[in-house]
Amino acid sequence: QVQLVESGGGLVQAGGSLRLSCAASGRTFSSYTMGWFRQAPGKEREFVGVISWTGSIIDYADSVKGRFTISRDNAKNTVYLQMNSLKPEDTAVYYCGADRRPTHYSSRYYARDVGSWGQGTQVTVSS
């Protein structure tokens, strides 16, 4: 199992930026695709983006494309989510997740693909 800890959430005004981090420990981080998801109150957890284990392939939900950027540093066992031009509708708890299987990737990435979740970090965007 891998343990994941997110950080970097907070309150920001619309148009602002935040960078979330997800630190991993426990298993070979560099062999696993990492996903970012978010969940707003009363809504289902939704896909934000996914990055392959090497970092060479990245996909995003249409709602964040062009505003959010995912990256990873395998030497630091950390994946990042840079969020720019934030909107009130981006308000949610953001979760990182490690894939259930090593060296597996799919551009159509779902919560069921995730084997380990972080505890989540709150992002609130005020208008």
Side-chain angles (χ1 to χ4, degrees):
Q1 278 292 78
V2 63
Q3 290 76 47
L4 303 172
V5 178
E6 298 102 335
S7 61
L11 173 64
V12 64
Q13 289 189 332
S17 298
L18 282 174
R19 188 176 82 154
L20 306 184
S21 298
C22 172
S25 62
R27 64 181 181 187
T28 309
F29 174 77
S30 60
S31 296
Y32 290 86
T33 286
M34 297 293 294
W36 283 99
F37 292 77
R38 66 187 182 186
Q39 189 166 17
K43 295 187 177 182
E44 292 187 356
R45 193 168 296 192
E46 67 170 351
F47 168 73
V48 172
V50 59
I51 184 168
S52 65
W53 63 97
T54 63
S56 61
I57 310 172
I58 306 171
D59 285 287
Y60 300 95
D62 288 343
S63 59
V64 307
K65 203 171 291 184
R67 300 188 298 123
F68 289 12
T69 302
I70 298 175
S71 60
R72 66 189 296 161
D73 185 339
N74 285 344
K76 296 183 178 180
N77 281 8
T78 302
V79 62
Y80 305 97
L81 179 64
Q82 177 68 44
M83 305 185 293
N84 299 329
S85 302
L86 281 161
K87 304 175 182 179
E89 51 263 44
D90 294 319
T91 295
V93 178
Y94 283 71
Y95 298 89
C96 65
D99 204 292
R100 294 187 293 112
R101 297 148 287 185
T103 62
H104 167 262
Y105 184 86
S106 174
S107 60
R108 300 180 71 85
Y109 204 71
Y110 302 96
R112 64 175 180 262
D113 292 313
V114 174
S116 300
W117 292 100
Q119 84 287 356
T121 186
Q122 176 71 46
V123 171
T124 303
V125 184
S126 63
S127 57

